[in-house]
Amino acid sequence: MRRILLLLLTVFASSLAAQPLSYYFGDEVQFDPKVPTPASILGYEVGQWHVRHDQLVYYMRELAEHSDRVQMQTIGYTHEQRPLVMLTIAAPERLANIEQVRQTHLARVTGEGKGSSATTTVTAPAVMYMGYSVHGNEPSGSNAALLVAYYLAAAQDQRVERLLQETVILLDPSLNPDGLARFANWANSNRAMVPNADPNTREHNENWPSSRSNHYWFDLNRDWLLLQHPESQARIAQFQRWQPNVLTDFHEMGPNSTFFFQPGIPSRKNPLTPDENVDLTKAIAEHHARILDSHDRLYFTEESFDDFYVGKGSTYPDVNGSVGILFEQGSSRGHVQDTINGRLEFPFTIKNQLLTNFSTFDAVLEKRQQLLDYQQDFFAQASQLADKDKIKGYVVGAPKDPTRLRYFLSILAQHQIDAYALQEDATVEKQQFAAQSSYLVPLSQRQYRLIKAIFSEQQNFVDNTFYDVSGWTLAHAFNLEFKELNSVRGLDVAAQPWSPSSSASQQVLQPHYAFAFEWFDYHAPKLLTKLLQQGIEARVALAPFTASSDGQSRELAAGSIVIAAGLQQRDDWLRVLNQVSAEFDIDVHGIDSGLTSRGVDLGSRQLAPVQLPKVLLVGGKQSSQYEVGELWYYLDRHVGLTPSIIEADELTKVDLNNYTHIVFANGRYASLAKSFKAELHTWVRNGGVIWSHKGGAQFLADEQILKASYLSRKDMAAAFSTQGLNYGDRDMLAGKQRIAGAIFNTKVDLSHPLSYSLTRDELPVFKNGTFLLEQASVPFVNVATYTEKPLLAGFTHEQNLAQIANGGAILAHSYGRGAVVAMTDNPVFRGFWYGSSRIFSNALFFGAHIDASAE
């Protein structure tokens, strides 16, 4: 019996394809026996199972405890409260004085100590930031991080000894812990004892939503610039704190691919990236090729991937004085999978990532001095470039909305960009900028290139095909008023740059006939939500009025929220109002009387009831997980509402009468059950409100719930002539037809309830698709339309521009007692479109009051 059991265990171990350390390192590397191996802690060899994030953190902690080469710190926590950890690895004597090492390194970056070659050149270490698996279902990176950390902590060979003496390594083993944890659970729980290589098996095909993304289903590799999530905020804080010379970014791609390393497509680099950066990347690439050649690995370069969008992991470093390097390994998407290149096993993918860690180390050792000099020159050139630039800075403002402006300034500050409050009003090209609600961002500072990238409105490009977006101007995304400055002379600005401070309200509200707050502040929807959740009765003013407030005349705009004492059902309502309003930096005004001096009185029908929305957000495989996640994130974080996310296949089981609003993000919904479609018609007629955008709007139009015409992607593409094109012109044509991501201007009807909070009649929107609503031919339905010359930033072919001009951007109309709202574009793209996102929350609170026939 014992022999049979031993035989079974042997077969079981073999079926798991366990690979010993010698598979990864060979037999020549010796390791310190006092430092635990991954298998001694995990209970299995690396690659045998997918490492869970908690196991990864535990092992890293053990390394720090047993090796004097390693320090570990927690630099933040994810949305799901998983620790974000970073290992600092160096020679023990350097590690003991690591803060001084960091400060000395930063002195080189800022220019201090330049010329002191004995201390800052000959002996200065190069700093590497090694980042792994920003996409949770690209796990070979984080699993390789186990081996990289072990090697650095325990190996006893010449390479590692020199490496520890000449570098500081910052090792971030999991850039997306929540996603990695989800995928490890998926891959391990669907794994057979004898692994199945069939690409169609469940192990290789995740359910919706995939674990590529973080908790809110965001792609964290697009958040390096935008900083909407704690993972990105913690990472960028460490990046800016250390200013590494090289940053590595380990990814995976489709199983039928081989291995990619940069450089990417040469014509698609960001123009703000110095040519020397590309030269260094090419020189480092030779090391990757050499080590992969020695192991007979297939790979490719200068293809498919680019370095244009500065908000992803391999490009952000390039405009920050570092050299960012992207690695993409063909993925087993589980433990083993059949591909066009043969059977791809998980340990093989891990080893490729490990090999290019080694080649990166070798390259940095060889190019250490060149990397240090390059970084110092990069920042030294900033003042010279600023002096030559005809633009000297940017002035930005957000009248009546300090919260939105504060979010914008916070992003700048996290990127080490200074902004200074105007002390006096200023006029720039006939545009008024008010003191204290406007800021100067001068170009003459260390982050010259990053500032240029953030404010870029580039529209013409050498290569018009983009791997990611071509426009991301943050000032447009925040709907800020901003202007370029040819001179900053004469501007009276604060002596110190903006920095975060507490913004809680200090007001104490005394009894009044009513209270009111305006809708301009970005937190106004969240304040209203909390009041409604506490049972406070509220009204929205559908027209402006002027009321007496503590004996003074006060003008209140349409969209203002009124809380009348005579409507309240709670005896302690004033205490609740004080308690909730104290959380927000929003003025709540006491109103002396229901009789106003101008406009509607407080008992008018124009003060309409506001109900707490109960939102059904349609999810599932028919929808875009990113866009559903972006809507969820906006509602949860900025509005304080928790939507019910219900997968499309489950909608027939749901009583729609339990919800006030239904939201359709981009997706393909034609296959929804006929019974649900019929119920949806009835639900809207009876008073429901629907929000839809992109594919969601197309679905409603096809179902005749939205009374609108549209141009589909195919319709837009058909406008391009294909006469005389050759087979080799396919990519060129596709690049012209596509809108990868650009910014467009719209003209807004400021009298419409959906536009409450907007202070100007132009609203920038983000477009990353060619679906287009057409303008309604009847009055009062067009909330926003694209302008005659709509392009603000990014690439769009003139043929697409001609079709978009004067098209429908936002439409809204009645449907029975309900309402339908449709938008051509996503109002909450990647969480940083703070301007257009208010249209979405307005639809939730005020959509029931839309009164416009579409016929």
Side-chain angles (χ1 to χ4, degrees), residues 473-701:
T473 318
L474 289 191
H476 285 319
F478 279 76
N479 191 24
L480 299 178
E481 298 174 357
F482 82 102
K483 292 288 184 181
E484 298 175 350
L485 295 171
N486 294 325
S487 174
V488 296
R489 292 174 184 170
L491 286 180
D492 185 4
V493 300
Q496 298 299 319
W498 178 90
S499 62
S501 61
S502 174
S503 61
S505 173
Q506 302 299 316
Q507 60 189 337
V508 177
L509 305 175
Q510 301 299 327
H512 278 75
Y513 176 85
F515 295 89
F517 60 90
E518 292 192 291
W519 195 244
F520 296 111
D521 193 274
Y522 198 74
H523 278 166
K526 196 169 189 178
L527 170 56
L528 177 58
T529 295
K530 289 203 168 189
L531 292 173
L532 295 174
Q533 288 170 338
Q534 293 293 323
I536 299 297
E537 297 290 331
R539 297 286 187 267
V540 57
L542 300 177
F545 63 95
T546 302
S548 173
S549 176
D550 293 325
Q552 303 293 317
S553 182
R554 182 172 298 280
E555 296 181 1
L556 293 159
S560 294
I561 303 300
V562 175
I563 300 162
L567 292 174
Q568 304 311 313
Q569 304 300 308
R570 292 187 59 152
D571 293 337
D572 63 344
W573 70 272
L574 185 56
R575 178 192 64 79
V576 172
L577 178 59
N578 264 297
Q579 183 180 34
V580 173
S581 64
E583 300 177 30
F584 300 89
D585 190 23
I586 298 175
D587 290 331
V588 179
H589 308 289
I591 305 297
D592 301 330
S593 170
L595 184 65
T596 65
S597 60
R598 186 164 53 235
V600 296
D601 295 325
L602 299 196
S604 167
R605 293 188 183 94
Q606 292 295 298
L607 268 82
V610 181
Q611 304 298 326
L612 181 67
K614 188 169 184 184
V615 180
L616 189 165
L617 176 54
V618 179
K621 61 186 178 182
Q622 295 88 343
S623 65
S624 162
Q625 75 173 65
Y626 295 131
E627 296 200 11
V628 172
E630 288 156 4
L631 292 164
W632 174 27
Y633 174 77
Y634 173 72
L635 290 173
D636 199 12
R637 181 188 183 195
H638 293 301
V639 186
L641 286 173
T642 304
S644 295
I645 303 173
I646 300 175
E647 296 195 25
D649 292 340
E650 301 296 314
L651 290 173
T652 55
K653 304 175 184 177
V654 174
D655 183 354
L656 298 186
N657 294 316
N658 290 330
Y659 305 94
T660 61
H661 294 72
I662 297 177
V663 175
F664 288 93
N666 189 34
R668 298 181 179 181
Y669 302 103
S671 63
L672 292 179
K674 290 182 180 179
S675 60
F676 169 76
K677 294 175 182 177
E679 186 181 359
L680 187 62
H681 279 265
T682 302
W683 175 84
V684 185
R685 287 195 192 98
N686 291 338
V689 176
I690 299 184
W691 169 278
S692 62
H693 63 256
K694 297 172 69 174
Q698 180 174 338
F699 163 69
L700 293 182

Side-chain angles (χ1 to χ4, degrees), residues 786-805:
Y786 296 100
T787 59
E788 181 70 31
K789 296 181 178 180
L791 185 62
L792 292 173
F795 170 74
T796 300
H797 190 273
E798 58 186 17
Q799 187 64 56
N800 280 331
L801 272 180
Q803 297 183 88
I804 293 169

Side-chain angles (χ1 to χ4, degrees), residues 211-319:
S211 53
R212 172 184 175 87
S213 51
N214 77 337
H215 173 79
Y216 283 105
W217 311 336
F218 276 64
D219 183 341
L220 288 178
N221 197 40
R222 305 299 185 267
D223 197 46
W224 289 67
L225 178 67
L226 313 177
L227 301 181
Q228 296 303 297
H229 297 278
E231 299 93 336
S232 308
Q233 293 162 11
R235 179 172 67 253
I236 293 305
Q238 293 303 315
F239 180 97
Q240 293 294 345
R241 188 169 177 270
W242 269 99
Q243 289 292 336
N245 299 97
V246 171
L247 181 143
T248 58
D249 188 20
F250 291 91
H251 288 251
E252 290 182 355
M253 52 187 167
N256 290 320
S257 298
T258 57
F259 192 92
F260 169 85
F261 55 86
Q262 286 180 311
I265 299 174
S267 61
R268 299 184 198 169
K269 85 170 180 70
N270 192 289
L272 293 166
T273 300
D275 290 339
E276 190 178 351
N277 178 290
V278 179
D279 294 339
L280 282 166
T281 302
K282 288 181 178 179
I284 293 171
E286 293 177 4
H287 290 263
H288 306 322
R290 193 175 303 133
I291 199 168
L292 292 172
D293 284 346
S294 70
H295 287 77
D296 297 327
R297 301 301 207 241
L298 296 176
Y299 57 86
F300 63 97
T301 67
E302 297 188 331
E303 192 179 322
S304 183
F305 301 96
D306 64 47
D307 274 324
F308 186 76
Y309 171 50
V310 300
K312 61 189 180 75
S314 60
T315 313
Y316 179 83
D318 294 341
V319 291

Side-chain angles (χ1 to χ4, degrees), residues 27 39 43 68 112 140 215 231 262 267 314 323 452 455 462 549 552 563 610 726 750 775 822 850:
D27 296 320
D68 59 1
E112 299 173 15
S140 60
H215 173 79
E231 299 93 336
Q262 286 180 311
S267 61
S314 60
V323 177
K452 292 285 286 187
F455 284 94
V462 174
S549 176
Q552 303 293 317
I563 300 162
V610 181
N726 298 318
L750 288 180
Q775 268 201 55
I850 292 172

Side-chain angles (χ1 to χ4, degrees), residues 51-53 55-61 63 71-73 75 83-89 129-136 138-149 170-177 180 235 248 250 357:
V51 70
R52 302 192 313 266
H53 182 260
Q55 294 173 310
L56 185 68
V57 172
Y58 184 75
Y59 179 66
M60 297 302 173
R61 187 173 290 118
L63 285 182
Q71 288 181 359
M72 188 181 101
Q73 64 184 121
I75 60 175
L84 296 158
V85 301
M86 187 178 80
L87 274 60
T88 305
I89 304 172
Y129 195 119
M130 317 294 286
Y132 303 87
S133 298
V134 72
H135 297 137
E138 299 177 4
S140 60
S142 286
N143 282 266
L146 292 163
L147 298 167
V148 177
L170 310 173
L171 193 146
D172 191 334
S174 175
L175 298 171
N176 180 7
L180 183 73
R235 179 172 67 253
T248 58
F250 291 91
N357 274 270

